[in-house]
Amino acid sequence: MKQILTALIAAFFTFAAWAAQPVNVNTASAEEIAENLKGIGVSKAEKIVEYREANGNFIHVDELVNVKGIGVRTVDQNRGMILLEDSSKVASSD
């Protein structure tokens, strides 16, 4: 029974990692952001959306640190998953 539970948990985390895809933080909903970025739950994702609505689109990925609760480490962990425009180009460290 313990082995089955361990296998199910491993399968869940494998699927979750596989399911994540790049997300456009300028157009995505809070739910989409939370589902696809590491270390960002729904409440932080909602803050990203609120910040975007109050200040306009993000021009550079590093602007995300201006959102309360989002730090440099979180941005760095997700840099390859953050889109800033509607294309397949992900944010770079430029």
Side-chain angles (χ1 to χ4, degrees):
M1 183 64 148
K2 196 174 188 181
Q3 293 173 336
I4 293 172
L5 183 59
T6 302
L8 287 174
I9 291 171
F12 172 76
F13 285 113
T14 301
F15 176 74
W18 175 78
Q21 53 187 322
V23 61
N24 184 330
V25 294
N26 286 327
T27 59
S29 68
E31 292 77 19
E32 291 171 318
I33 294 170
E35 286 174 9
N36 292 292
L37 299 182
K38 295 177 189 174
I40 298 180
V42 175
S43 65
K44 286 184 183 178
E46 287 172 347
K47 289 179 183 179
I48 290 171
V49 172
E50 290 169 8
Y51 184 92
R52 174 183 79 206
E53 290 173 351
N55 299 287
N57 285 348
F58 295 95
I59 304 299
H60 194 278
V61 66
D62 292 326
E63 288 181 65
L64 285 164
V65 299
N66 296 328
V67 178
K68 185 173 181 159
I70 307 294
V72 173
R73 183 174 178 181
T74 302
V75 172
D76 286 343
Q77 286 178 331
N78 291 291
R79 195 171 295 275
M81 296 296 287
I82 298 170
L83 296 172
L84 298 175
E85 46 190 58
D86 290 323
S87 71
S88 60
K89 181 181 176 193
V90 294
S92 66
S93 58
D94 294 337

